[in-house]
Amino acid sequence: MVYLGAAPGVGKTFAMLDEAARRRLRGADVVVGIVETHGRPATVAKLEGLEIVPRRTIEYRGTTLTEMDVDAVLARHPAIVLVDELAHTNAPGAAHAKRWQDVHQLLDAGIDVVTTVNVQHLASLTDDVEAVTGIRQRETVPDQVVRDADQIQLVDLSPQQLRRRLAHGNVYRPEQIDASLGAYFREGNLTALRELALLWLADRVDDALTRYRSDHAITGTWPARERIVVAVTGGPETETIIRRGARIAQRAAGSELVAVHVLPTDGLPSATPATIAAQRALVESLDGTFHTVVGEEVPAAIVDFARGVNATMIVVGVSRHSRLRQALLGSTSAEIARLSGTIDVHLVTHEAAGAGVPSRSRWSALSTTRRTLGFAGAVLAPLALTALLLVVDHAPKDLSSPLLFFLAVVVGVAIVGGMWPALVAALASFLCLNFFFVAPVRQFTVASSSELLALGIFVVVAVAVARVVDEAARRTGEAYQARAEASTLAALSRSVLSGEDTAQAVVARLAETFALREVRLEVRESDRSPWVEVAEASSASPDRADDDVSEVTIDGDHRLMLVGRALPARDRQAVEAFGAQARLVLEHRKLREAAFKAHALEQAEATRTALLAAVSHDLRTPLASIRAAVDGLTSPDVELDPEDTEALEHTLSESTGRLERLIDNLLDLSRLQTGAVRPVLREASLEAVVLQAVEPWLAALDLDVPENLPLVTTDPGLLERVVANIVSNAVRHAGSRVRVSAGRAPDGVVVRVVDTGPGVPDDRKGSMFQPFQRLGDTSGTGLGLGLAVADGLATAVGASIVAEDTPGGGLTMVVTVPTAAAPMPVEAAPEQPASDQPASEEPAR
């Protein structure tokens, strides 16, 4: 259980202790884990009679701190424990960094927890609280921790009541009252914090209500809060409807704006992707949420969605269809109002109301060849059938057989040529039946009412069949086109996800898919900036004098220029989808480049910081030794005996060598990072390179380097520095003698430097070759550059370094150098001579 307060001093702890007293009277096992009284007498009095678990004492920087003793509470294992100030940060040395983590541990142990927290400590409200009070809260608790509570009780006081409590000294000490009243506890601040608490708790209650309705299968609306659903059609009036819905939602605090767009079940788009994307952006800019649902009937889908989100109002625009069509077929808005039940429906008028909806062309979707065959069949087939029937039976007594034969002709023509040829066939069939088979024959008259009815039904059925066949052909073509567009866009999306996110690939796919001669993607920085081409693709289509040049606007700063055949409207919708994909590609590229630059700047900043620290400390140490030695040797006031002189000279020599090695490694690191290292590769004896590299440490080494090793292709000077740095590092940490061995390997010659020191943990091996990684070394004799320089130089000469664990403890560094017969990945003339002087600056692990 959580007692949530809008501000300090509203009485959360007091209410928690009251609850504890009530539960204790009912026989519950209640203890106090930790309660902060802040010296308030009333709160201290409330603790009387409650069992208090002693606190844990922690020493930190000479100060004694107390925290809740989680282990003691677990050992006591009460039924209920009181834990005050959930967002509190524990002192260093406690079991967890945050008190809410202590609470999780108690809950996992089966102990119920009653706790308190102020709204300003909720993580999601940190920015809002800072905007209101001007104070950034450092101690926060994740919202989900509080939301997961079985019960949340709001402890509330009006701003005036809280200020009176503060003025009477019931919250802070007298010397803090005036400052608090004039700063954090201003009436406006308290009012805003109170509203934040109420709104946050309302969201939590709304979640609980949604779960309850779902668990109990409740479909009716419960008007617990205002939730406005706006029906988005994609038409030109939608922006007006969205803004009207937003104004309605803003009239009551805590109201929600929810927009819904219904996709037909046939999967064919009812609006262009660019239009829907723009309307989604508008909804989100008005602090609303945008949803897309699939439904066979648009009104029913909208009402079902509104019921599902427990909406109180549906905002829909007045139909754009003409009055005649609305009278005959009804309208979406009227159907929504009929189905809405207890949900209010708000109709919004707009300029396009009743103006009519531009219909798609009803011309057949069939090919020209099929339409031509259809018209030919529509004229010839009825005549041929008439001749055949007259040959077989000069005067048929029953009209049913000819009607069926002619209906079959109409259906066949509809299948071949679509609706318009079928209508011509129906008309021709009607004339043939009337003239040759309906009495009186050889006249365009009908004597019997039943025969007239049969002819009328024949025409109606023929027209209906023709329309169905034509619509099926149209829908089939649209479905094939939509499937092709979806497949192409899916391929583009996969290319983006797989990293092939070049705008060039998008425009190339666009030119190929729509057989366009040229496609250009252009961008601009602002409305006044010129358009700049960022990608261009051409197809194999030849130049034509009637090539159309059209512009497809993606947004204000991106557009596509299309050169080639004029695209129909349905293809332009798909092109807009391609354009939206291209814009996403460009934005993704910008984000990736920005992230790469940020990472590079972060690395540079880290290197610069480490370098400054090194210069200020590690480089000054040998300089101080050199200065002291020189002053001692040159001071006229000090007479030195030979031993002292020798010691100072030794210190001078040692410190100078150490400083030289530090500077060499810094220079090498700089050369590696700027790409200035250019190795001179040639055949060399690995034995000679290793012996020269380890010469300064021969007394501490066990060498096993055979003379019959094959020659290697490398830069001897750079490889010598690699081996020297690794051996120097091993000698410093070995704890005993270091073994250096060499031998053949399938991919080259291997040098192993084996030590039995403390080793390196597996989780640190990935970073041990980074600059300034001292890995626990506190000697202060190195910058942590040796392995970084060794790894960079090894890569430059085509070698590799791998860190392995030494059996029994320690670290084994494995250097693999390609033999002279193996091809080398690096071949370049020297930009500057490689140094033949081995460096042995030792990076600590």
Side-chain angles (χ1 to χ4, degrees), residues 813-838:
M813 303 294 288
V814 182
V815 183
T816 304
V817 187
T819 58
M824 289 298 298
V826 181
E827 294 184 6
E831 187 172 284
Q832 68 181 68
S835 173
D836 289 333
Q837 180 64 32

Side-chain angles (χ1 to χ4, degrees), residues 55-67 91-92:
R55 299 190 183 192
R56 176 186 175 188
T57 301
I58 299 176
E59 297 292 336
Y60 180 67
R61 294 184 178 179
T63 303
T64 301
L65 304 174
T66 60
E67 297 290 355

